[in-house]
Amino acid sequence: MTHTLRATLAAALLLAPLSTAMAAGTARTLTYQILMGEDPIGTETVTVEPQGDRTKVTVAATTRVKVLFINFRYDHKREETWKGATLESMRATTDDDGTPHSLDLLRKGNGLTLTADGKASELPGDALPLTLWTPEVLKRPNLISVIDGAPYKVSARAVGTETVEAGGRKTEAKHHRIEGDVERDLWFDAEGTLLKTRFKRSGYDITYVLK
């Protein structure tokens, strides 16, 4: 098998789960428990709602952490609009321990316009927010923070197949790793549903697991 054919098949396999999930025709809500180490610190809810030839995705996350008698809080909400595998727009608001942020991302022609905390900039058309619910994030070298719009240069690679305990059962999942300016480990099932993600923040292991 030639390198070009292998690359084409790999791209198709990554795209298929996204298309299948969005073509289901019914809304679906995924709720993740957020852990710091082994301790629960919050939840994230992702609602995927097909609307004709478009899909609306709503994300809400809340965490509360107490470290050495100091309380930290994080509240995040965003709404994404997709047409197939193309992100058309995103709006997000975040309270990052008392610091407010707002993002507005809109596709215009072949590019994207980002307004982050009132400051506008232009992004390449293949850029994508760090929206981990979809395998599409694995194919983009240009990502941006969903909090403050910071740019990330990244690459993704397949780690292997593993058994993950999520959603009340054990499931075979594909483990992928995003590396570069930001790092994430992600586990997707055969249908492209995110089962688990893990990363480090301030030296602590943070894990999102499907409930």
Side-chain angles (χ1 to χ4, degrees), residues 41-56:
I41 60 171
T43 59
E44 177 171 280
T45 301
V46 180
T47 300
V48 181
E49 184 180 1
Q51 298 180 336
D53 64 345
R54 287 170 170 77
T55 302
K56 182 175 78 171

Side-chain angles (χ1 to χ4, degrees), residues 68-165:
L68 298 177
F69 307 106
I70 300 175
N71 294 311
F72 296 92
R73 72 181 188 275
Y74 172 82
D75 294 291
H76 173 81
K77 294 181 180 179
R78 76 177 183 271
E79 184 176 296
E80 307 166 7
T81 301
W82 294 76
K83 186 175 182 180
T86 300
L87 179 69
E88 294 194 322
S89 66
M90 182 197 74
R91 288 186 175 180
T93 58
T94 305
D95 180 345
D96 189 8
D97 198 34
T99 301
H101 294 282
S102 64
L103 295 182
D104 195 340
L105 184 67
L106 182 64
R107 184 167 298 279
K108 289 187 176 181
N110 295 324
L112 293 161
T113 297
L114 171 68
T115 303
D117 297 334
K119 183 179 180 181
S121 61
E122 301 298 320
L123 301 177
D126 66 346
L128 196 69
L130 192 63
T131 179
L132 301 179
W133 67 271
T134 168
E136 190 69 19
V137 75
L138 300 172
K139 298 187 291 179
R140 307 298 180 94
N142 298 300
L143 301 177
I144 65 167
S145 166
V146 295
I147 300 174
D148 61 6
Y152 303 132
K153 288 289 187 180
V154 300
S155 61
R157 61 183 177 89
V159 177
T161 301
E162 302 172 11
T163 300
V164 173
E165 189 166 347

